[in-house]
Each structure stands twice: as C-alpha cells, then as structure tokens.
Amino acid sequence: MRVRKALLEDVRGIAIVHVDSWKDTYKGIIPDSYLEKLTYQQREQIWESNISEDKSIILVAENEQGKIIGFASEGKRSTNTYENAGDLTSLYLLETYQGTGIGKQLLREVLLHLEELGYRKVFVEVLEDNRTRYFYEYYGATLISSSSITIGGKVLSLLIYEWNHVSDVLHSLSGEEE
C-alpha cells in the first residue's frame, strides 16, 4: 500500500471510493433516497475541479495492485478564521480496508503537510452518528462545537473537532506500531 498526491487521472478512482464509502458509512444516517442518487460521474466532476484548482492537497491510498482504496484532502475552509489553522476536509476508505492502518497513514500524511504549511491547529467536521468520530478522538481530536446540517432533507448533528497541536498528534502517530 502506498500514499501519494492525487493526479487528474485518479479522478475516477477517488469518485468510486467517495460514493461507495458514503453509501456504506452513511446508511441509516443520511436518507437512502439521497444516497441512491449519488453517482460516480457527479463525484468525478467535483474531484476533477478540486484537483485542478490546486488549492488543497488531495492524497490517495493505493493497494498493491495500484487501485485507489482511499483518499484524504486538506485545506482551509472559508469558515475557518483562525490564524495558523487548517482543515482535514475528507478522509474516506473503502469499507474492506477500514481498520487496517491506512486511515492512520492518510491522517499522518495530511497532518505532515499542514504542519509544513505552518498550521499548528487542525479542524475536522464529522456527523455525530458517523463512527469515524471515534477514530479522530482516538488520535487526540477534541470536540469543540456542534451545529446542524441538512442532507437529503434530514437535519443532522455536525460535530467540529480540533487537534490543537499538530506536532503532538504527529508524534503520537509516529510512536505507534503500524
């Protein structure tokens, strides 16, 4: 498995992971009618635009056969007004690869890049009912606030977590066994 910066030719693989992981992760959380309408083509357009803009870093994780099995992105959300702070904007893995350490590797690479940009603090938003929040908590993210978001006509609780010292998180990620 390897993690690398995404290229335009990765758009299809990223879109597949995005749609499939949403359908697995958010089943029972986001209305089925919304999830059923997600298409690879829609997500390809979004990710092509994201990669072309080059405003944020998008990383992909590939398996031994070179297939994209996960991705992560970072940047600075328009709602993030803190100095020296960035955002983990997405981190998704195909369900069969969850719990294998790949998410940890993607998180480490994103945080390394944000630290290189001079960010000391990083935020991540996650739906309250998404079990991934426990992954972020395990790696030291602290819940700082919540708000509501409507997806597919359903009002959901959105949690905002913060890593206050990126260097401390990176130290703990590096100190763990793979």
Side-chain angles (χ1 to χ4, degrees):
M1 200 283 309
R2 77 176 184 141
V3 173
R4 63 171 174 77
K5 186 174 178 181
L7 306 169
L8 272 175
E9 53 264 26
D10 297 323
V11 166
R12 179 71 176 178
I14 294 170
I16 290 169
V17 170
H18 199 175
V19 170
D20 291 355
S21 64
W22 265 59
K23 288 180 177 183
D24 291 332
T25 301
Y26 297 123
K27 185 166 185 59
I29 300 172
I30 294 174
D32 289 344
S33 58
Y34 182 88
L35 295 174
E36 290 165 3
K37 291 178 187 173
L38 295 176
T39 67
Y40 299 144
Q41 294 76 21
Q42 291 168 331
R43 298 298 165 166
E44 282 180 39
Q45 291 174 352
I46 291 167
W47 287 106
E48 184 174 335
S49 174
N50 289 345
I51 292 171
S52 297
E53 286 178 10
D54 205 32
K55 289 184 182 177
S56 64
I57 293 295
I58 302 163
L59 302 172
V60 294
E62 296 177 319
N63 65 13
E64 291 75 24
Q65 293 75 38
K67 178 184 173 191
I68 294 174
I69 56 171
F71 70 92
S73 62
E74 53 85 352
K76 186 165 177 109
R77 294 182 195 274
S78 60
T79 55
N80 180 348
T81 58
Y82 293 90
E83 189 174 324
N84 300 319
D87 295 278
L88 170 62
T89 53
S90 63
L91 195 158
Y92 292 102
L93 291 172
L94 292 175
E95 189 173 39
T96 56
Y97 292 93
Q98 293 174 9
T100 64
I102 297 168
K104 175 187 167 185
Q105 290 178 20
L106 283 166
L107 177 61
R108 181 177 35 222
E109 292 300 319
V110 164
L111 293 176
L112 279 169
H113 185 261
L114 288 168
E115 184 181 52
E116 287 171 9
L117 293 174
Y119 295 139
R120 293 190 305 261
K121 163 185 311 203
V122 175
F123 299 98
V124 62
E125 298 177 354
V126 62
L127 292 177
E128 183 174 23
D129 293 333
N130 180 348
R131 67 184 185 276
T132 303
R133 69 186 266 210
Y134 303 114
F135 169 82
Y136 299 132
E137 289 172 4
Y138 181 82
Y139 289 110
T142 304
L143 178 64
I144 58 166
S145 67
S146 66
S147 62
S148 295
I149 185 172
T150 303
I151 302 176
K154 183 177 180 182
V155 179
L156 302 164
S157 179
L158 182 68
L159 305 178
I160 296 92
Y161 283 87
E162 170 189 66
W163 285 285
N164 200 27
H165 300 286
V166 172
S167 58
D168 292 346
V169 181
L170 285 169
H171 180 65
S172 72
L173 286 167
S174 297
E176 283 190 5
E177 293 295 318
E178 286 297 325

